[in-house]
Amino acid sequence: MRSGVWCERAVRDGQVESGVRLSVDSAGIVAAVETGTQPRPGDLVLNGVIFPAASNAHSHAFHRALRGRTHTGGADSFWSWRQGMYRAAGALTPELYEELATAVYAEMAAAGYTSVAEFHYVHHRPDGSPYPGHAMELALGRAAQAAGIRLTLLDTCYLAGGFGEPLTESQLRFSDGSAGAWLDRLKGLRHTFEAEFDPAYVTVGAALHSVRAVPEDALQAIAAGLDPDLPLHIHLSEQPAENQDCLAATGLTPVQLLHRYGLLGPRLTAVHATHLTPEDVALLGNAGATVAMCPSTEADLADGIGPAAALADAGARIALGSDQHAVVDPWLEMRALEHGERLASGVRGRFTPAALHQAVSDAGAAAQGRRAPGFAPGSSCDLMAVDPHTTRTAGADPAQLALAATAQDVTAVVVGGKLTAERGRHLRLGAPGALLTAAIARLDAAAVPDPAEVRQ
C-alpha cells in the first residue's frame, strides 16, 4: 500500500521544483515522483522548501553532556577536554545511556537528521567486566527506536592506551582485550540486533577507535577477520601528536599504516582526517574512501581545518558529522565546511550548496551503508522542510539555503514518509531540551567529580 508526500518546493540536485509529489511504499521508500502537481486527499503536505534529510556520519551521543562545560581557558586542549569526556563515560550505565541517547537522538531528529552513525566504545562496566547480553548496545538501539531515527551502531575496537601503552583505568570499559575477542563479540552483537530491530532502522557496523588504540597485530587480525560487507570507520589524524607518535612507532603515517594492512577502500570512513600529507590525501582519494568531517567539533577542540576540497578533488567522498555535539545542526555543519575552506584558501565557493547537501545527506548515508534520503525512486523518503521566510532565510535563493538556514528554520522532518518532528518538537517525545536537561542532570549525579573540583 502506498502513501503520498507532497512538497510545495523541492530542491533536487540543486534545482528548485514546485509541486513535487512522492509516492511512498509501505517500507518508506520513494516509489514514484511527479512534479507540478497538487496534493491528494490523505497526502502528508510539506510547505516551504524541502531537502533530503541529513545523515549524521559521526556521533558520540554521551559527549552531548559536555556542551558548554569545557571552556575554562588557559591550558585548554583536546587532551584536557578528553579528561572531562572520560569522567562522563565513567558514569554511564545502560539505563543512563538509554535516557541520554534518546534525548540526543530526539534533538537530532528535530534538527533534520534522520540517520546517525554512532561511534560506540563504552561497551562494559567501568572495571572492564562485561554487561550481560550487550546491554549498552541494546540501550542505544532502543534509544534510536524511541526517537524514530535510523541508527548504524559502529561497534568499536579499543585495545591500547597509545602506541605501546597499556589501557588506563578510565579506558578499561572500552576494551575486549584482543582483536579476536572483539570480533567474536561483534558477531554476537550482529545476531542480537538482527533479532531485536528492524534493519531498515537499526543496524551494526564496525569501527577502530584509532591507530593509537588498535596495535598493528590487531589491525592485521581485523583486516583478515572482519566481514567485508560491514561499514568500517576510524578516527584518523585528528591531532598532530597522533601522527608524530605513529611515525615514531611504525615509520608510517596513520593513513599509510591502514594502507599497509589493506584497510583502505570504499567501505572505510576516516573521521576528521585533519592533518594529512599529500600522499595521505592521494591514498584516501584513490581508495574511494569517505572522510567524515565534523567542522563544529574540530573548531570547538581547536583541531584545525582539514583538507576537504583536496580530498574531494582526489576522489574521496566528504560526509559530515556532529561528533561531540557542540552543536546539533546540519545547516551549521554545512556552512562550517565551506567557511573553513574559505578561511584556509582565501577562495569562495569551494563547495557549492548542492555539494554541501550531498555531503550532509547522501555521503553520510553511504558511510552507514544506507540508502540515500531524498526524492528519487529507490531513495528513503527522509526529508526536512525549511521555512524560507524567517529572519535568517528571508530573501535567500531557495537553492542556497545551506548558506543561510539553521536548524531553527526546520519546520518538519520526515522519516520513511512519516512526520517525526515539527518546528523543533519531537512528535512522540516532546521538547528535546526538557529531555536533555533531565538526562544530563541524572548523569551528573552519577559522575565521579574531578579531583580539582573537589579541592575547590
Side-chain angles (χ1 to χ4, degrees):
M1 183 174 179
R2 293 183 178 180
S3 57
V5 177
W6 184 83
C7 306
E8 183 180 10
R9 285 186 288 176
V11 180
R12 299 203 293 164
D13 300 322
Q15 302 300 312
V16 183
E17 298 179 334
S18 298
V20 175
R21 185 181 186 277
L22 309 179
S23 180
V24 184
D25 69 18
S26 59
I29 307 302
V30 176
V33 185
E34 303 169 77
T35 59
T37 67
Q38 294 297 315
R40 299 176 190 171
D43 282 356
L44 173 62
V45 173
L46 301 177
N47 292 309
V49 184
I50 322 304
F51 296 86
S55 308
N56 195 336
H58 187 66
S59 164
H60 300 285
F62 78 91
H63 290 191
R64 174 61 181 82
L66 301 177
R67 185 190 293 177
R69 295 177 166 208
T70 61
H71 309 279
T72 57
D76 272 357
S77 69
F78 169 84
W79 306 102
S80 63
W81 170 89
R82 193 171 70 155
Q83 295 310 307
M85 181 271 288
Y86 283 155
R87 286 196 298 278
L92 291 172
T93 64
E95 295 75 21
L96 286 173
Y97 208 0
E98 183 171 347
E99 181 182 11
L100 178 59
T102 299
V104 175
Y105 295 153
E107 182 182 11
M108 287 184 198
Y113 291 109
T114 60
S115 70
V116 57
E118 181 63 37
F119 201 105
H120 167 66
Y121 50 82
V122 189
H123 302 301
H124 307 304
R125 295 186 176 94
D127 65 0
S129 61
Y131 287 107
H134 307 292
M136 289 295 260
E137 292 73 29
L138 285 169
L140 289 167
R142 289 192 297 268
Q145 194 173 55
I149 196 169
R150 303 181 196 272
L151 170 71
T152 301
L153 184 77
L154 298 169
D155 195 83
T156 302
C157 184
Y158 198 131
L159 302 174
F163 292 96
E165 298 290 332
L167 295 165
T168 66
E169 184 177 353
S170 297
Q171 296 166 333
L172 291 176
R173 70 184 313 184
F174 306 159
S175 180
D176 293 294
S178 70
W182 173 70
L183 286 166
D184 288 343
R185 189 178 54 75
L186 176 62
K187 182 178 180 181
L189 177 63
R190 292 177 69 190
H191 289 310
T192 297
F193 267 47
E194 287 166 3
E196 186 75 18
F197 301 110
D198 179 351
Y201 285 86
V202 178
T203 60
V204 174
L208 311 177
H209 180 271
S210 56
V211 294
R212 68 178 186 271
V214 183
E216 277 195 79
D217 60 344
L219 289 177
Q220 187 171 19
I222 289 166
L226 188 64
D227 183 340
D229 293 330
L230 279 184
L232 177 64
H233 292 221
I234 185 170
H235 293 130
L236 193 76
S237 294
E238 182 177 5
Q239 290 288 321
E242 176 186 323
N243 290 351
Q244 294 160 8
D245 291 348
C246 190
L247 281 166
T250 70
L252 301 171
T253 68
V255 175
Q256 292 166 347
L257 188 61
L258 295 182
H259 180 59
R260 169 184 280 181
Y261 292 106
L263 290 166
L264 296 184
R267 70 153 170 182
L268 182 75
T269 296
V271 181
H272 302 303
T274 307
H275 303 282
L276 302 179
T277 68
E279 182 182 353
D280 293 338
V281 170
L283 284 170
L284 288 165
N286 290 337
T290 297
V291 174
M293 300 286 190
C294 305
S296 64
T297 287
E298 288 145 12
D300 182 78
L301 297 179
D303 286 344
I305 298 171
L311 284 160
D313 290 344
R317 182 165 44 198
I318 305 300
L320 289 168
S322 64
D323 193 3
Q324 60 137 338
H325 317 306
V327 298
V328 173
D329 188 328
W331 302 88
L332 292 183
E333 299 294 354
M334 284 191 280
R335 194 131 71 247
L337 177 65
E338 169 61 12
H339 285 176
E341 280 291 319
R342 293 182 184 187
L343 289 169
S345 68
V347 177
R348 301 179 86 224
R350 304 274 278 187
F351 287 91
T352 66
L356 293 173
H357 280 285
Q358 179 79 12
V360 86
S361 296
D362 291 18
Q368 300 178 54
R370 293 195 176 278
R371 295 173 185 266
F375 307 100
S379 299
S380 295
C381 188
D382 290 8
L383 308 169
M384 53 182 172
V386 173
D387 183 347
H389 305 301
T390 72
T391 54
R392 291 161 296 279
T393 62
D397 180 336
Q400 296 183 34
L401 283 169
L403 280 301
T406 73
Q408 294 180 66
D409 306 309
V410 173
T411 57
V413 180
V414 172
V415 183
K418 297 179 181 178
L419 190 65
T420 297
E422 199 167 25
R423 297 190 179 276
R425 187 176 182 85
H426 195 280
L427 292 191
R428 288 204 307 268
L429 300 175
L435 300 174
L436 288 161
T437 299
I440 293 170
R442 276 189 268 277
L443 187 68
D444 285 347
V448 176
D450 186 309
E453 294 170 358
V454 173
R455 286 195 296 272
Q456 292 173 3

